[in-house]
Amino acid sequence: MSKQASQIDQLVAAKYKYGFVTDIETEGLPPGLDESTVRAISAFKQEPEWLLEWRLAAFQHWLTLTPPNWAKLDILPIDFQAVSYYAAPIQDKDRPQSLDEVDPKLLETYEKLGVPLHERARLAGVAVDAVFDSVSVGTTFKKELAEVGVIFCSFSEAVQEHPELVRQYLGSVVPVSDNFFACLNSAVFSDGSFCYIPKGVRCPMELSTYFRINAAETGQFERTLIIAEEGSQVSYLEGCTAPMRDENQLHAAVVELIALKDSYIKYSTVQNWYPGDENGVGGIYNFVTKRADCREDGAKVSWTQVETGSALTWKYPSCVLRGDNTTGEFYSVALTNNYQQADTGTKMIHLGKNTRSKIITKGISAGHGQNTYRGLVHVGKNATAARNYSQCDSMLIGKTCGAHTFPYIEVKNPTAQVEHEATTSKIGEDQLFYCLQRGISEEDAISMIVDGFCKEVFRELPMEFAVEAKALLEISLEGAVG
Amino acid sequence: MAALALAEYVNAELAAETQSLSWLHDLRTQAQQSLQAHGLPAEGSENWRYSSLRSLLRKPLSVSTDVIVDEQQLLSLVALEKNDFRMVFVNGLYQAQLSLVPVDIQISSLATELKQQNLSAYFTPLPEAVDAGFSWLNASRFEDGLYIKLEDNQVVEQTIHLIQLSVGDVLSHGRHIIDLGADSSLSLNEHFVDLSGVAAGGLLNTQMHILVGKNARMDWTRTQALGSKSMLVDRVDCQLSKGAQLHCTHLDVGGLWIRHDFNVELQGEHGFIQVDGVVLVRGRQHTDFHTRIDHQVENCTSRENFKCIADGRGRGVYNGKILVQPGADGSDSAQKSANLLLSPHAEIDTKPDLEILADDVIASHGATVGQLDEDALYYLRTRGIDVPLGRKMLMRAFCQEVIDRVKAPVAREQLAGKLDQVFTQMEIT
Amino acid sequence: MSAILEIKDLYASVEGTEILKGLNLTLNTGEIHAIMGPNGAGKSTLGNVIAGRDGYTVTAGEVLFKGKDLLQLDTEERACEGVFLAFQYPVEIPGVNNTYFLRAALNAQRAYRGEAPMDAAAFLRLVREKLKILDLKDDLLKRAVNVGFSGGEKKRNEIFQMAVLEPTLAILDETDSGLDIDALRAVAAGVNALRDAGRAMLVITHYQRLLDYIVPDVVHVLADGKIVRSGGAELALQLEEKGYTWLQQEDQQVLESS
């Protein structure tokens, strides 16, 4: 065992691959938050009056709220005055007209991240919107998408170009007053992605956003809004990274999905924010509100997430199954290593008739990681013939981590069928021995077994993301073997 | 004392201590201070999320006065024979004339025992959680209860029955202590029964402290068949030593508003706890069952199996928490919550929690909410059984798994008989 | 000889799909009729329509049982009148003891007929006697209905229930499916022991094999929701030899020649 232990020590030292800092000039607001901050952000973005009013109302409401404390998270008090609420690469003033004009350092950053931002990334067939600190820096494949009527742009651009859509749908899924962090986001959100799929259109390519926090002492508050009109389909991918910094950085995003009649939105996330070092210093505090409204009959939303990063994750991508015959799915892999903490899960709110939901989660805890699944399945009085199936599995690697499961099941309709199962286990010694006996190294065996454990979720990811997710999991697990 | 709303008891002055027990006086004072500081569990308390106290707090309740109970009537109510061992409490107070106790063990009423010896260790420390209001209410006001102390190796062959009878709109605070020495064994059948009629009902705020010594064993059934207006707030704290075994089966078929908190600490290796329950809520009944099983050391086993049937406007709540503390390797825990939701106005809320802080653990839980099997009902009908009887048969069958898990044959038959009676009398269409 | 079951121009659908399309059939006391036919012809639907399963909607036609309109009766009333369905897939009912179940059924049927319930001792004697016929073990009585039974045990349990309940009309829905030859013989022996001048049986089967052991008076071929051919026991043998396509081809020839 001692030999293994020393190997482990080496591996624990494995570094966060995405922890570089890009040395480019940024402009922004000094740390601090009051009404003038909100006005300044709105002014920077030359927003219409209604949006400023909306932000200010959110800010006023936020002042009355206190941070939630019900999650199983050990959070240092957050000083909201120490955060800078706006940072943008300085070139933003005279924005590049094409990708060729984008600061090469920035492009280099995305290349390091493996983001296929440049035109040659065409091979990947992914249209990318990249959000760097607070602003969106470029969207690829705009023309191709415009041909079929798909709007895919930064949130700021959408405010200028499609104000009627933004105004109609913004805050209609996650109201301003929904929770502390969503409310804060509503006041100070800087940018994000906007996506509109017209009636009957099947989006011809995967849409993707990469988020990166670069500047120090900066919070990122992006906002994503996706609207799928009747009969449309879209697959949307989201990736996140941040540099290694000793202080905890704040990320509080809001994602709203509106799925209209018979539409289908597939939303995949690979979250790899900086998790802090092996002693739990630094890392991103990730407080995200993600919610989908299956507003009309036959709509379907599928969330898939692979959460390997962040010092702290507070995130419950949810589905409001309002229309009849709507479907919600949630597939999740959450890994916590070192001193990472995750409290994540989903809410499936069954309101319409014949609604279906499925929850598959895989939690992996290693090191001193604390991993919590928190989920709600609610079947309302009128939700005739609702069906839910949940399977929540946890795997523990080592003696100092924790795995927790808090499934809330509330059923008010006597035709509902709800089934929840959960298991907690460690990597089977017999499985491990079997692999070792066949000549497979312990590291490989563990990653093989963990990969098998997560297979059901990886299967849901688009191909190129599945490969990335698997690789991420391996990196994040390095040194976790006990 | 005239009837007060429950809410008013929180601030009511404590009765002067009749015995000069300073530790008891201190305990009551401290409990009362906590009670006044935090009150009864407030709206928004996570542990009371699905159980609003609104209807309780308004309920006018008086304190116990003497009630004459006919022995024959009582025995038929709990289906016991005249020579069955039993401790009978009416509105929380011991009734010697209705009781029959074995002479070879220490068994008595708490009020008597308090005069004999210092029992302070069984009462401290007081719970500190802000939502422990009912515990403080009990600690500040309890008068009587069951006291059993088994010496090492003492085996009680015959079952002892604990009967808690509620009569009228009375607030009572039963306090029970069971302390089982090493290698001892006890079978306890507990009955919550009612003679209040359909118009009145009490609030029983009971607390039970159970110590199961090394390799000791306790077999326990709890049948709650209170009247349609009575309420029960019941808390049990069990501590199991090395190799101790506790098997407990609940049958909750009565009452209007019921709350159970069943807490178990597995303190010694190879401890075994099984806590099961059948819960039936109809009419406007509300039953909230909280269990908390704390694996503190290695190689303990816990088993839970709860079945709830909700019909009418009934609401069945289950919250089962399994904790596995750091280092408690070899813990083996399984938990199941199965529910039948039969009416558009009924509700099921279930939450099987796991908190695992050790890695060499087997922990699984499952929860289901569903309906009676239509294929099975059709099968019964093709054999000539009508729908109401068929539904009753299937409901009864749904509960059978819990009954089958009761080890002691006599207790198993008693619970099965009670269930048969409930379903036979049930009106169903 | 009087008609026990008369089915006249019966149309029935399941979830909006029409399965039976003008079926006619008359079954007299003491007779055994076999219903054969390809998969999806509507054989099991016929059994379920007669037994009164929810979701099987009769859209036209009538079913008379001993002259009574069967379709007006609830499922359990039909059972009490003497209709017994031996299920193709007997339902498992965890928690319901086999003996209790059977006694509840028998006493429900007795109550329907205005008879006093059978006491436990008399019931046990009856059950022991019937068990012998089916060569079943006592322990079957202690187990939950069909739970943990092998395929063969389930089918024998169906026939055992039939023996206890003594119906006027027994419908055996693919009772032979999933049985090995020994189990098939045991089931057939049980059925033959229950052949009686006062009882009629409708044996639904896909294969001729069962009819070697339970020899029918009449064989009907059911295809596309109708009886397309009726004949003696030899019809089953012809079918076995030539397959169901033979009938279709022959029909085609008949059509062409006319």
Side-chain angles (χ1 to χ4, degrees):
Chain A
M1 278 318 280
S2 66
K3 180 169 161 274
Q4 281 176 6
S6 73
Q7 275 179 350
I8 292 158
D9 290 343
Q10 286 170 17
L11 287 161
V12 163
K15 284 286 182 285
Y16 180 65
K17 185 178 146 191
Y18 302 98
F20 54 86
V21 179
T22 306
D23 181 20
I24 52 175
E25 280 185 88
T26 58
E27 62 162 17
L29 292 169
L33 179 58
D34 57 20
E35 198 178 300
S36 69
T37 321
V38 178
R39 287 183 184 279
I41 294 169
S42 191
F44 264 127
K45 312 195 79 73
Q46 298 162 9
E47 285 176 352
E49 187 63 23
W50 66 265
L51 191 50
L52 174 63
E53 291 303 321
W54 193 80
R55 286 176 180 275
L56 289 172
F59 180 72
Q60 286 308 322
H61 186 72
W62 181 75
L63 292 174
T64 68
L65 301 177
T66 47
N69 61 0
W70 42 261
K72 202 173 169 57
L73 297 171
D74 191 6
I75 310 174
L76 296 172
I78 301 166
D79 182 356
F80 290 94
Q81 296 304 333
V83 176
S84 166
Y85 288 84
Y86 192 77
I90 201 136
Q91 291 88 340
D92 193 49
K93 274 191 181 145
D94 37 2
R95 249 191 121 93
Q97 295 307 300
S98 79
L99 283 169
D100 301 333
E101 293 174 35
V102 170
D103 186 332
K105 268 192 184 149
L106 203 57
L107 289 180
E108 212 177 289
T109 304
Y110 287 115
E111 271 184 47
K112 278 193 214 166
L113 294 172
V115 181
L117 181 73
H118 203 260
E119 285 294 309
R120 66 195 162 114
R122 194 184 280 275
L123 335 150
V126 177
V128 179
D129 182 36
V131 178
F132 196 85
D133 286 336
S134 298
V135 298
S136 180
V137 291
T139 306
T140 56
F141 287 100
K142 226 172 193 171
K143 216 176 95 213
E144 287 85 343
L145 291 169
E147 276 166 18
V148 290
V150 171
I151 304 168
F152 181 43
C153 62
S154 73
F155 201 92
S156 309
E157 196 177 329
V159 169
Q160 303 300 335
E161 305 291 325
H162 310 282
E164 70 298 339
L165 285 174
V166 174
R167 203 168 174 179
Q168 184 183 349
Y169 291 107
L170 179 68
S172 73
V173 184
V174 180
V176 162
S177 57
D178 191 79
N179 68 67
F180 182 85
F181 294 105
C183 190
L184 175 63
N185 174 289
S186 301
V188 303
F189 75 89
S190 39
D191 210 336
S193 287
F194 176 86
C195 176
Y196 175 84
I197 318 293
K199 190 169 169 178
V201 171
R202 193 181 176 136
C203 189
M205 59 188 76
E206 312 267 1
L207 303 184
S208 174
T209 301
Y210 269 78
F211 294 103
R212 178 159 178 87
I213 298 175
N214 193 59
E217 291 166 354
T218 302
Q220 180 152 310
F221 305 91
E222 83 271 1
R223 189 131 195 146
T224 300
L225 182 57
I226 300 178
I227 302 136
E229 286 280 4
E230 182 176 338
S232 68
Q233 286 190 21
V234 62
S235 171
Y236 185 93
L237 323 172
E238 169 190 77
C240 327
T241 59
M244 292 162 68
R245 294 193 188 281
D246 285 348
E247 83 272 23
N248 294 112
Q249 284 180 287
L250 185 61
H251 175 249
V254 172
V255 174
E256 296 181 278
L257 311 184
I258 294 115
L260 301 176
K261 193 167 190 300
D262 297 324
S263 64
Y264 175 34
I265 303 176
K266 184 174 174 64
Y267 195 107
S268 312
T269 304
V270 174
Q271 185 264 102
N272 186 31
W273 296 120
Y274 178 52
D277 69 9
E278 64 275 19
N279 298 314
V281 176
I284 301 291
Y285 275 8
N286 192 30
F287 298 98
V288 179
T289 305
K290 289 184 168 178
R291 195 171 305 154
D293 188 355
C294 291
R295 202 163 279 182
E296 296 179 355
D297 296 354
K300 177 176 177 181
V301 168
S302 180
W303 296 101
T304 306
Q305 61 173 29
V306 176
E307 304 277 318
T308 62
S310 293
L312 197 144
T313 301
W314 180 98
K315 180 180 170 191
Y316 316 92
S318 303
C319 296
V320 181
L321 303 170
R322 200 182 303 278
D324 293 347
N325 304 305
T326 51
T327 304
E329 294 176 341
F330 177 72
Y331 299 93
S332 169
V333 167
L335 180 142
T336 53
N337 196 358
N338 296 321
Y339 285 86
Q340 281 178 275
Q341 306 173 61
D343 193 305
T344 183
T346 185
K347 288 191 254 184
M348 293 291 173
I349 314 291
H350 293 255
L351 301 176
K353 295 181 175 41
N354 296 312
T355 48
R356 300 270 180 278
S357 66
K358 185 173 174 185
I359 300 170
I360 307 286
T361 71
K362 308 286 170 182
I364 302 151
S365 312
H368 293 87
Q370 295 293 326
N371 205 325
T372 300
Y373 166 77
R374 187 182 302 277
L376 167 68
V377 174
H378 176 95
V379 178
K381 247 186 175 26
N382 301 318
T384 307
R387 298 283 177 271
N388 162 268
Y389 175 75
S390 307
Q391 169 84 46
C392 304
D393 296 324
S394 304
M395 183 179 273
L396 293 132
I397 304 173
K399 303 248 171 249
T400 48
C401 54
H404 318 294
T405 316
F406 301 109
Y408 294 72
I409 299 166
E410 303 173 353
V411 186
K412 296 178 199 251
N413 184 294
T415 58
Q417 294 201 358
V418 176
E419 201 177 331
H420 168 95
E421 287 176 52
T423 63
T424 302
S425 56
K426 67 169 188 170
I427 287 187
E429 273 164 25
D430 44 352
Q431 290 173 326
L432 212 49
F433 175 68
Y434 190 81
C435 294
L436 295 176
Q437 206 287 319
R438 295 293 182 267
I440 299 162
S441 77
E442 189 171 18
E443 281 288 326
D444 288 350
I446 299 252
S447 98
M448 198 184 284
I449 292 165
V450 169
D451 185 44
F453 178 69
C454 301
K455 190 132 263 159
E456 265 177 290
V457 174
F458 287 165
R459 218 169 31 208
E460 295 299 319
L461 287 170
M463 181 72 101
E464 57 273 31
F465 251 42
V467 174
E468 186 184 338
K470 202 177 146 180
L472 260 181
L473 210 62
E474 275 171 29
I475 294 165
S476 307
L477 262 178
E478 277 175 4
V481 185
Chain B
M1 200 154 109
L4 293 179
L6 174 64
E8 297 173 272
Y9 279 93
V10 171
N11 292 310
E13 258 182 58
L14 295 183
E17 198 62 52
T18 48
Q19 304 125 30
S20 53
L21 294 174
S22 67
W23 70 265
L24 189 56
H25 177 78
D26 292 347
L27 178 91
R28 293 201 196 282
T29 310
Q30 196 196 336
Q32 179 67 9
Q33 280 167 359
S34 298
L35 181 61
Q36 284 181 339
H38 301 291
L40 294 173
E43 301 270 327
S45 156
E46 174 66 20
N47 279 323
W48 294 78
R49 185 183 177 95
Y50 297 110
S51 291
S52 163
L53 297 184
R54 242 170 293 168
S55 59
L56 261 77
L57 294 171
R58 285 199 306 267
K59 188 176 168 60
L61 293 160
S62 53
V63 290
S64 187
T65 49
D66 286 342
V67 183
I68 306 299
V69 176
D70 175 64
E71 185 177 26
Q72 208 46 53
Q73 190 183 11
L74 179 72
L75 290 176
S76 70
L77 201 58
V78 287
L80 287 186
E81 302 293 331
K82 212 170 161 44
N83 56 356
D84 284 324
F85 287 132
R86 60 190 178 271
M87 292 284 283
V88 180
F89 296 82
V90 176
N91 290 339
L93 301 178
Y94 182 57
Q95 310 292 313
Q97 77 289 359
L98 296 171
S99 301
L100 178 68
V101 294
V103 289
D104 47 355
I105 58 166
Q106 277 191 70
I107 176 167
S108 62
S109 86
L110 186 67
T112 310
E113 207 58 34
L114 283 168
K115 293 175 197 153
Q116 313 290 327
Q117 55 170 320
N118 185 331
L119 296 175
S120 61
Y122 292 114
F123 293 88
T124 48
L126 279 169
E128 284 172 4
V130 292
D131 58 9
F134 285 101
S135 296
W136 300 320
L137 185 67
N138 179 290
S140 59
R141 288 160 173 85
F142 74 87
E143 291 179 64
D144 211 344
L146 168 70
Y147 175 82
I148 296 181
K149 167 92 177 109
L150 293 191
E151 300 303 325
D152 292 357
N153 302 309
Q154 220 168 18
V155 173
V156 184
E157 298 286 355
Q158 221 176 323
T159 302
I160 292 171
H161 296 266
L162 165 60
I163 300 168
Q164 303 193 64
L165 177 67
S166 176
V167 185
D169 295 314
V170 171
L171 172 64
S172 65
H173 303 282
R175 183 90 188 196
H176 312 289
I177 294 164
I178 296 171
D179 187 348
L180 306 184
D183 297 295
S184 67
S185 118
L186 176 72
S187 293
L188 182 74
N189 288 7
E190 189 178 355
H191 312 260
F192 292 94
V193 281
D194 216 318
L195 283 174
S196 305
V198 289
L203 170 61
L204 293 80
N205 175 29
T206 60
Q207 300 266 311
M208 205 156 203
H209 190 180
I210 296 179
L211 298 164
V212 189
K214 189 178 164 194
N215 295 327
R217 177 182 174 121
M218 179 164 163
D219 287 283
W220 185 14
T221 68
R222 311 186 79 201
T223 307
Q224 182 275 110
L226 289 169
S228 60
K229 291 277 195 303
S230 285
M231 299 177 171
L232 169 66
V233 179
D234 160 64
R235 174 171 166 153
V236 175
D237 291 284
C238 310
Q239 287 154 342
L240 272 65
S241 304
K242 188 174 177 182
Q245 289 196 41
L246 174 57
H247 298 251
C248 182
T249 307
H250 292 79
L251 213 59
D252 270 283
V253 295
L256 176 63
W257 196 101
I258 308 293
R259 165 72 181 222
H260 291 285
D261 277 281
F262 198 98
N263 304 318
V264 180
E265 291 177 23
L266 292 157
Q267 297 179 334
E269 270 194 75
H270 302 290
F272 176 92
I273 169 74
Q274 175 176 308
V275 49
D276 290 353
V278 168
V279 174
L280 186 59
V281 282
R282 293 168 293 155
R284 291 185 173 275
Q285 285 175 304
H286 175 113
T287 299
D288 181 345
F289 219 116
H290 271 59
T291 66
R292 185 180 192 277
I293 296 180
D294 187 359
H295 287 254
Q296 299 182 344
V297 296
E298 289 172 280
N299 299 318
C300 291
T301 302
S302 64
R303 294 285 178 266
E304 275 183 83
N305 193 335
F306 278 83
K307 304 263 187 178
C308 178
I309 302 175
D311 206 347
R313 294 184 171 275
R315 189 172 189 186
V317 182
Y318 170 74
N319 187 337
K321 186 182 280 299
I322 307 276
L323 276 146
V324 177
Q325 301 289 357
D329 286 325
S331 292
D332 178 351
S333 138
Q335 183 191 40
K336 201 165 121 183
S337 158
N339 302 275
L340 287 180
L341 183 59
L342 302 180
S343 144
H345 306 291
E347 178 169 346
I348 293 287
D349 301 295
T350 178
K351 184 167 171 264
D353 291 354
L354 294 174
E355 285 188 50
I356 314 284
L357 293 157
D359 74 333
D360 194 359
V361 165
I362 301 169
S364 66
H365 67 203
T368 57
V369 182
Q371 292 76 43
L372 294 173
D373 180 353
E374 287 298 323
D375 286 343
L377 192 59
Y378 172 60
Y379 191 72
L380 293 174
R381 294 177 74 193
T382 64
R383 300 300 181 252
I385 294 163
D386 64 21
V387 175
L389 178 60
R391 286 171 65 90
K392 282 194 213 179
M393 280 173 75
L394 293 178
M395 282 190 239
R396 174 68 182 79
F398 174 74
C399 308
Q400 186 59 30
E401 195 185 358
V402 167
I403 304 299
D404 286 341
R405 284 157 59 101
V406 178
K407 293 271 187 326
V410 177
R412 189 166 61 233
E413 272 168 39
Q414 181 237 321
L415 293 183
K418 182 68 198 174
L419 265 184
D420 289 342
Q421 184 200 351
V422 168
F423 284 107
T424 305
Q425 289 167 358
M426 185 187 284
E427 282 177 23
I428 193 169
T429 48
Chain C
M1 207 162 65
S2 60
I4 281 191
L5 182 71
E6 293 168 88
I7 301 175
K8 296 175 187 167
D9 206 22
L10 184 67
Y11 286 78
S13 60
V14 181
E15 286 174 4
T17 308
E18 193 160 75
I19 310 281
L20 299 183
K21 303 166 184 175
L23 186 137
N24 289 287
L25 183 73
T26 300
L27 192 59
N28 296 313
T29 47
E31 287 182 348
I32 293 188
H33 288 205
I35 302 266
M36 301 185 71
N39 287 328
K43 300 193 299 290
S44 288
T45 299
L46 176 62
N48 280 314
V49 166
I50 296 172
R53 185 170 205 146
D54 286 347
Y56 289 73
T57 315
V58 173
T59 50
E62 58 179 347
V63 179
L64 298 179
F65 179 66
K66 295 186 290 190
K68 268 188 203 171
D69 182 357
L70 198 65
L71 300 178
Q72 291 303 311
L73 301 178
D74 285 342
T75 306
E76 61 272 24
E77 289 171 331
R78 298 181 196 194
C80 291
E81 285 284 343
V83 176
F84 180 90
L85 174 65
F87 282 51
Q88 183 181 359
Y89 304 107
V91 180
E92 297 187 5
I93 315 181
V96 174
N97 171 281
N98 224 354
T99 311
Y100 173 68
F101 161 72
L102 204 48
R103 195 169 155 220
L106 183 66
N107 282 335
Q109 300 200 9
R110 290 173 68 96
Y112 185 85
R113 297 194 294 260
E115 297 167 15
M118 189 178 274
D119 67 47
F123 178 74
L124 208 59
R125 275 198 302 279
L126 172 72
V127 157
R128 291 257 155 78
E129 176 197 322
K130 304 291 184 185
L131 276 175
K132 274 190 217 134
I133 300 174
L134 272 296
D135 192 25
L136 285 164
K137 291 196 191 87
D138 261 21
D139 79 315
L140 176 126
L141 296 173
K142 297 185 194 110
R143 287 150 70 182
V145 180
N146 291 322
V147 177
F149 286 30
S150 71
E153 281 177 321
K154 279 184 185 169
K155 296 299 174 77
R156 271 193 275 177
N157 190 27
E158 293 292 287
I159 306 304
F160 164 62
Q161 289 176 22
M162 173 171 130
V164 172
L165 297 173
E166 301 184 313
T168 323
L169 169 67
I171 304 157
L172 276 51
D173 188 3
E174 308 237 358
T175 296
D176 51 334
S177 68
L179 293 188
D180 62 29
I181 194 71
D182 291 335
L184 182 71
R185 279 192 182 140
V187 164
V191 172
N192 286 326
L194 295 167
R195 272 187 110 140
D196 185 275
R199 179 173 295 140
M201 297 193 202
L202 199 55
V203 180
I204 296 170
T205 181
H206 189 74
Y207 298 106
Q208 188 269 340
R209 189 176 70 151
L210 178 66
L211 305 182
D212 286 343
Y213 301 94
I214 305 172
V215 181
D217 300 300
V218 182
V219 174
H220 305 277
V221 179
L222 179 62
D224 194 26
K226 285 194 280 282
I227 303 288
V228 293
R229 181 77 56 103
S230 300
E234 72 288 347
L235 179 58
L237 290 165
Q238 283 176 302
L239 278 173
E240 180 78 0
E241 196 182 320
K242 300 179 181 174
Y244 289 109
T245 46
W246 158 66
L247 275 176
Q248 285 159 6
Q249 284 159 3
E250 213 169 60
D251 288 347
Q252 197 62 34
Q253 283 162 9
V254 171
L255 269 176
E256 280 162 10
S257 66
S258 65

